[in-house]
Amino acid sequence: MAVSCWLEVVLPQGLPINRLRTILLLGLPITGGMLSQSLINLIDTAMVGRLGEESLAAIGAANYALFVSFALINGLSVAVQSRVARFYGCGNRSQILEPVSSGVMAALVIGLPLTIVLFLCSGLIISTFGLDSSVAPLALDYFRIRVLSLPAAMLMLTFRGFWNGYNTPWNFLRILIVTHVVNAVASYGLIFGVGNIIQPLALSGAAIGTLIAMYTGALINTLATMRIARRDKLPNSRPDQSRMLQLYRQAWPDSAQQTLFALGMCVFFALVARMGNDAMAITHVIINVSLLLILPGLGLGMAATTLINHALGAGDTHRAWRWGWDVVTVAMVLLTLLSLPLLFMPEAVLGLFLPDNNRLIAEGVQPLQLAGAGLIIDSISLVLTQALLGTGSNKTVLRIRFVTLWQITLPLTWLAGVYFGLGLSAVWCIQILQRLLSSVAYCYIWQKRGWHKGLSGHQAKQKYS
């Protein structure tokens, strides 16, 4: 509560403290879960780093291939969350578990075949990275083991959507922490071995440890959901074909835009790589810092999804609209504060990742400052993207992401960075342009309120009751 009291001083007076408290109570545990994921990735990297540079390079390539592969299923979480929140908002307890059942069914009907396809195509996927002959086999083995966790990932996304939509995100955070502990312990034991009991499996051990942790997390989530259902007397709800199709229709555009983003990042890195090793090293640092700092914005965006759908479920479209702008206000304040070190102490930030390399630090100062400015602008799109996904405006988000990234940002990056050789500062000015265009588009769409067509007033309540 100390954070909310402090933020009351810096936030506009139009945002009451009770609404701020509601936003933070939802957004903070979601953000905590994302931060914990980043932390465990750092721990995994630290453990694998002890195996040598080849293993580190292999896990880096394999993880990016997994990032693109798992983007194919990311839309499931928001789809489940928005439907659970909508049922919760209109008081329809009989249907609250229906999206969960549909998500579990999706893990079987979609997840298993997709896992088989990715496993069979793993050699082709890893070959696209052009890895050294000593690294490629390691990356391939790691990818093949980790991709077997895709059905578990779909289950985890389903349960995350349930806990967030049911207004209990702390439950998911607690389970996620247990999952990460299992991952760290299992991976360490399998990587380095345990006496004469378990022989060291090196990089394959890291993949198996994560695989065990993912299915452990899915099992704990299942048991916890069953316990909550008994406690709150939520009736079992089997998914019928029409409900499942509704869920899939809402999920696929989000998965598509996530995949487009992941592939776009691959193209972006390839373009920057053509600008030289220095540009690649600086960009790698900036991207990693940016991905860490946007997590509060993403967490608040997911909180907005729940709050907006609670309001829509109750038939109150004006309150849903107001929640969107309130969460944007909080996100802008938080991301502005987080961007201050990037804007005013860029040398210190770069020095954490590029120690004793004054030349690269000097080259990276202005791009990092531009990235900090872009982060503030991006706070709007981070929230309103999740808000629109939660209202079912998935195709709108997909169109905006495709146009701004693939038709504007990447071509301009090639022109400025590769063709004309204008340097990294020009590349990051283009990144700011992308964030500005996206934020303006999302603001216009949210303010226009076309996202609640067919869901106004009592019609919204009737549809989900």
Side-chain angles (χ1 to χ4, degrees):
M1 291 304 100
V3 176
S4 62
C5 292
W6 174 74
L7 280 174
E8 187 180 18
V9 177
V10 297
L11 287 172
Q13 294 183 354
L15 179 58
I17 188 63
N18 64 315
R19 294 176 71 84
L20 171 62
R21 185 178 293 110
T22 300
I23 292 169
L24 292 179
L25 286 175
L26 268 174
L28 289 179
I30 298 173
T31 301
M34 294 178 171
L35 288 170
S36 71
Q37 182 62 58
S38 297
L39 178 61
I40 201 65
N41 287 340
L42 291 175
I43 294 173
D44 282 353
T45 301
M47 288 191 290
V48 171
R50 296 175 61 183
L51 299 176
E53 294 181 2
E54 292 180 347
S55 293
L56 200 57
I59 196 175
N63 275 336
Y64 207 85
L66 289 165
F67 173 62
V68 176
S69 301
F70 281 34
L72 296 168
I73 61 169
N74 264 343
L76 186 60
S77 180
V78 174
V80 172
Q81 179 179 344
S82 59
R83 292 186 65 79
V84 169
R86 200 75 63 89
F87 291 133
Y88 182 94
C90 70
N92 187 352
R93 299 171 65 84
S94 64
Q95 294 294 323
I96 283 179
L97 291 180
E98 177 270 318
V100 180
S101 300
S102 296
V104 172
M105 185 64 67
L108 298 174
V109 176
I110 298 176
L112 290 177
L114 183 59
T115 299
I116 294 172
V117 171
L118 290 172
F119 184 88
L120 294 176
C121 297
S122 55
L124 177 63
I125 293 170
I126 295 299
S127 67
T128 60
F129 288 87
L131 300 174
D132 186 84
S133 59
S134 62
V135 175
L138 297 174
L140 180 60
D141 288 343
Y142 184 88
F143 179 84
R144 281 177 171 169
I145 296 170
R146 279 292 314 277
V147 81
L148 297 177
S149 67
L150 190 141
M154 293 187 73
L155 292 174
M156 294 286 281
L157 289 170
T158 296
F159 290 117
R160 184 178 75 179
F162 168 74
W163 295 119
N164 292 345
Y166 199 56
N167 212 20
T168 52
W170 289 102
N171 287 340
F172 184 75
L173 176 59
R174 285 192 287 265
I175 296 171
L176 196 60
I177 291 172
V178 173
T179 303
H180 290 336
V181 171
V182 172
N183 184 21
V185 173
S187 294
Y188 185 87
L190 291 169
I191 290 171
F192 303 108
V194 181
N196 296 322
I197 302 174
I198 300 176
Q199 295 300 312
L201 298 177
L203 190 60
S204 295
I208 296 172
T210 303
L211 182 70
I212 292 171
M214 290 291 290
Y215 280 99
T216 300
L219 176 61
I220 296 173
N221 269 292
T222 301
L223 297 175
T225 302
M226 292 171 62
R227 182 177 63 83
I228 291 295
R230 288 194 300 268
R231 187 198 69 183
D232 296 349
K233 297 181 173 59
L234 300 177
N236 293 327
S237 180
R238 294 183 179 180
D240 58 61
Q241 186 175 2
S242 62
R243 296 282 194 181
M244 289 182 65
L245 288 175
Q246 286 178 2
L247 185 73
Y248 300 157
R249 279 196 294 267
Q250 187 170 356
W252 82 259
D254 185 25
S255 293
Q257 67 95 9
Q258 292 276 2
T259 304
L260 282 175
F261 171 75
L263 293 173
M265 290 302 297
C266 288
V267 175
F268 176 75
F269 274 115
L271 293 174
V272 172
R274 297 181 63 182
M275 298 170 61
N277 291 334
D278 288 357
M280 191 63 179
I282 294 169
T283 299
H284 181 70
V285 171
I286 294 176
I287 289 292
N288 279 310
V289 171
S290 300
L291 289 176
L292 180 65
L293 295 183
I294 67 171
L295 293 180
L298 289 173
L300 290 169
M302 291 183 182
T305 297
T306 294
L307 295 169
I308 289 165
N309 278 283
H310 284 174
L312 289 176
D316 192 341
T317 55
H318 178 77
R319 184 157 58 94
W321 170 82
R322 172 78 185 278
W323 274 124
W325 289 125
D326 285 350
V327 178
V328 164
T329 301
V330 177
M332 288 193 70
V333 171
L334 285 178
L335 292 187
T336 297
L337 294 173
L338 291 174
S339 298
L340 293 179
L342 278 60
L343 295 171
F344 299 106
M345 296 186 296
E347 294 92 349
V349 175
L350 290 167
L352 296 173
F353 302 91
L354 302 168
D356 303 322
N357 198 326
N358 294 330
R359 179 176 55 82
L360 284 184
I361 291 175
E363 291 179 13
V365 165
Q366 192 172 61
L368 184 62
Q369 289 175 321
L370 292 169
L375 190 66
I376 299 171
I377 298 171
D378 204 28
S379 60
I380 299 172
S381 63
L382 287 172
V383 172
L384 293 185
T385 294
Q386 296 297 319
L388 288 168
L389 289 173
T391 64
S393 304
N394 309 58
K395 293 181 182 179
T396 299
V397 174
L398 177 60
R399 284 193 291 268
I400 293 173
R401 175 60 62 87
F402 180 79
V403 171
T404 57
L405 178 60
W406 285 89
Q407 294 186 325
I408 297 176
T409 301
L410 293 177
L412 288 179
T413 299
W414 177 81
L415 282 173
V418 179
Y419 187 78
F420 290 111
L422 299 180
L424 274 183
S425 293
V427 169
W428 285 96
C429 283
I430 295 169
Q431 290 288 317
I432 288 181
L433 175 63
Q434 178 197 359
R435 287 159 172 74
L436 181 61
L437 291 174
S438 297
S439 294
V440 169
Y442 289 130
C443 284
Y444 173 78
I445 293 168
W446 191 255
Q447 187 66 20
K448 193 177 178 182
R449 306 197 199 191
W451 40 268
H452 67 67
K453 287 180 180 179
L455 292 172
S456 59
H458 71 281
Q459 292 176 344
K461 190 168 184 177
Q462 287 178 345
K463 182 174 180 180
Y464 286 87
S465 61

